Amino acid sequence: MEETFHYTVEQFADLQILRYRVPGFEQLSLRQKMLVYYLSQAALEGRDILFDQNGKYNLQIRKLLEAIYIHCQGDRTTADFQQFEVYLKRVWFSNGIHHHYACDKFVPGFSAEYLTDLIASVEVAVLPLGKGETVQDMCDKLFPVIFDPEVMSKRVNQVDGEDLVLTSAANYYEGVTQEEAEAFYAVQKAKGSQTEPVMYGMNSRLVKENGQMQEQVWKLGGMYSAALEKIVDWLEKAKAIAENETQHEVIRLLIDFYRTGDLHTFDAYSIAWLKDTASHIDFVNGFIESYGDPLGMKASWESIVDFKDTEATRRTEIISSQAQWFEDHSPVDVRFKKETVKGVSAKVITAAILAGDLYPSTAIGINLPNSNWIRSVHGSKSVTIGNLTEAYNRAARGNGFREEFVYSEEELKLLDTYADITDDLHTDLHECLGHGSGKLLPGVDADALKAYGSTIEEARADLFGLYYLADAKLVELGLVPDAEAYKAEYYSYMMNGLMTQLVRIEPGRTVEEAHMRNRQLIARWALEQGREANVVEMVVREGKNYVRVNDYMQLRVLFGKLLAEVQRIKSEGDYEAARRLVEDYGVQVDPELHVEVLQRYERLHLAPYKGFVNPVYTLQTDAEGNVTDVQVSYTEGYAEQMLRYSREYSNL
Ligand code: ZN
């Protein structure tokens, strides 16, 4: 009997929890499985670091809520308790008390009195009291943080003109003003190398004590030492069974960095890591992204463990190996074509564990390291995470979205049959070929299109992909199952660009983001240019708008025509034409259609944000205690996983 995999776990507030499969894990060798296991343990041990980075009361609040959740004997079916549960689930999801994306503090759906009752209902011994702290002390300290909207209201404040450090709740500075912090790091930057500057301040908390500015460095023996020691223990085990010398060196340098906190060692590690492209298993573990610091310096802790998706990477390799053929046959003027073109072979990976700032909400692509000088001298490593995209796609099936917006059964069937394949393929063509195709005429400034440059560039890459999706070459290369498949992407692209991407825009606003402008530009232009021949039309049925494509082959011709024009604009640096194209087609929103789309979307009750629970890895041993296998299972629930992590990896 075929086992069905349930991609959706649960939904609350504005969040949906999914799970992902790890295809290919069973086929790894025992040694590789052990390597994944050790690196996964190293990933999970860092969980508390991020909670503390996101706000200095987060850990105590989480522990308080968990103690009540586990030990409360009262009625768990009341509306108040359910609101309490939702609040705890949101704290887990955000790694703190602020929304993971919007950064605003969320408002509990229960009162301070109710929380007081809950606290009184459990034994004092299970409460997370600080040294010498009474229950009353704890409540006096934490209640304003939880309930008062004025206290720590934003995790990261970006409002121009305010002191961004003092007004942000993130725990990267203490008793320090923005001016003082900036001055402190300006001195460091001036003293250090100008050509190969390390990322100053990325692994420390900046505090002022007795009038003195001081960095509390995140390293063994320093801040977060208890968690970092555990991480290093697992990394040592991983190092001992590394796949090759290069990977061994990568892990050694990372351990050295955690021991010393030396940022030059971190750069050495980053360079070794980006050059390791041969290992099957790869990982990130460290202080990486700086979005959580209003000054963009302090890096939040995160980890991912992954291995190469050989099958999907083969797909991008096939595309790249044919780069010259695609360039030669594109519909753009020969003057704008590259004589020799090299495709980029993007690596597709399978995630095995997500942690820190990549859990539960995660990225689907990674491009690291972040150091500017390393990127320009040594390059970077770019990957897309195939099994997470798959999980998003599968979970979206049957959620009612397509049924609401797609014109008829015919298009629904097209999407069900082909969309997963053609969507990935369009991304591959965009990334591996689109951006790298074409050339500027001699003397044309690469920045000639100014503010319209990125929209035009995305349109160029998208159109390159759209044009070739319908090409017989793709069937020949075995990248699509048949000559009909491209229609799925054409339909969903037009529907998205003309209508459904509007769900991400607030009423009354225009389209601002470059990728969204590009999609609307292409879809609107094709609608208008094909109007006479009725290639694409908007059909109104029972008061609802739908997109209908009447002539797919002719739509391809239009995409080719627009590709030629967009390439001309880019190659000649024709600013005026770029401006007109973007302003005429990419920016303005039909307010009536916008309202209609928002209302239809709202009725579907879909959660706009998603995150994942991890699989569980368990060691299998024989009678002598030797490990014989590592098993992966996918049955753990959301609260169950969070509570287990809090039990097993509570290091701070
Ligand atoms: Zn792009």
Side-chain angles (χ1 to χ4, degrees), residues 72-358:
C72 169
Q73 301 297 325
D75 187 354
R76 298 171 88 96
T77 62
T78 65
D80 269 339
F81 193 85
Q82 276 161 17
Q83 287 295 325
F84 169 81
E85 190 173 4
V86 166
Y87 184 75
L88 172 56
K89 286 180 174 179
R90 296 185 76 181
V91 169
W92 282 329
F93 192 94
S94 292
N95 296 282
I97 59 172
H98 299 89
H99 194 276
H100 73 288
Y101 190 79
C103 296
D104 300 312
K105 189 165 88 174
F106 30 81
V107 183
F110 53 89
S111 66
E113 292 70 38
Y114 181 68
L115 184 57
T116 308
D117 291 347
L118 286 177
I119 292 171
S121 77
V122 300
E123 304 255 348
V124 175
V126 303
L127 295 174
L129 300 175
K131 263 208 188 94
E133 196 175 47
T134 66
V135 175
Q136 193 56 51
D137 293 341
M138 179 185 69
C139 293
D140 290 346
K141 182 178 70 183
L142 296 185
F143 275 40
V145 177
I146 296 173
F147 293 104
D148 185 344
E150 303 296 317
V151 176
M152 301 179 92
S153 59
K154 268 260 177 200
R155 178 163 58 82
V156 189
N157 182 23
Q158 303 278 21
V159 177
D160 198 28
E162 294 179 11
D163 186 312
L164 303 183
V165 168
L166 291 179
T167 55
S168 293
N171 189 23
Y172 295 121
Y173 305 90
E174 180 80 45
V176 177
T177 66
Q178 180 177 352
E179 204 178 324
E180 286 169 329
E182 283 169 346
F184 181 84
Y185 287 111
V187 172
Q188 286 198 359
K189 281 176 194 167
K191 274 196 281 191
S193 164
Q194 300 306 301
T195 50
E196 299 182 357
V198 297
M199 293 192 286
Y200 295 100
M202 63 153 261
N203 66 333
S204 67
R205 181 170 183 253
L206 185 64
V207 299
K208 194 151 102 182
E209 277 171 356
N210 309 320
Q212 285 286 89
M213 303 280 280
Q214 208 180 318
E215 280 187 310
Q216 297 173 334
V217 180
W218 307 325
K219 61 171 186 171
L220 297 201
M223 195 171 173
Y224 301 146
S225 187
L228 295 173
E229 282 163 36
K230 293 273 179 63
I231 292 172
V232 165
D233 284 348
W234 290 112
L235 289 177
E236 290 285 4
K237 290 189 166 66
K239 189 179 70 170
I241 55 165
E243 289 181 86
N244 50 55
E245 263 313 301
T246 317
Q247 190 178 59
H248 186 273
E249 181 64 2
V250 169
I251 302 176
R252 187 191 71 76
L253 284 165
L254 179 59
I255 291 171
D256 197 21
F257 169 65
Y258 279 142
R259 288 220 164 99
T260 60
D262 183 341
L263 293 173
H264 294 282
T265 307
F266 184 72
D267 280 0
Y269 153 76
S270 297
I271 294 164
W273 176 81
L274 82 90
K275 291 193 170 157
D276 178 14
T277 49
S279 302
H280 190 64
I281 291 159
D282 202 359
F283 74 105
V284 172
N285 184 309
F287 304 104
I288 306 292
E289 300 291 358
S290 56
Y291 306 111
D293 172 12
L295 303 186
M297 283 187 291
K298 310 287 173 194
S300 62
W301 190 89
E302 70 179 38
S303 184
I304 178 173
V305 182
D306 58 81
F307 53 90
K308 195 167 170 179
D309 179 341
T310 317
E311 186 57 33
T313 303
R314 210 176 52 86
R315 193 178 68 216
T316 63
E317 282 165 358
I318 291 174
I319 293 171
S320 287
S321 71
Q322 300 289 324
Q324 193 65 52
W325 186 92
F326 285 105
E327 184 76 358
D328 294 345
H329 291 79
S330 92
V332 315
D333 191 313
V334 68
R335 291 179 303 138
F336 310 139
K337 288 187 186 183
K338 277 195 176 120
E339 291 78 17
T340 48
V341 60
K342 227 173 145 286
V344 183
S345 173
K347 193 168 87 158
V348 184
I349 60 168
T350 301
I353 207 91
L354 304 167
D357 223 354
L358 291 169

Side-chain angles (χ1 to χ4, degrees), residues 430-431 435 457-458 461 515:
H430 175 118
E431 300 292 349
H435 282 305
E457 178 55 22
E458 290 310 321
H515 292 82

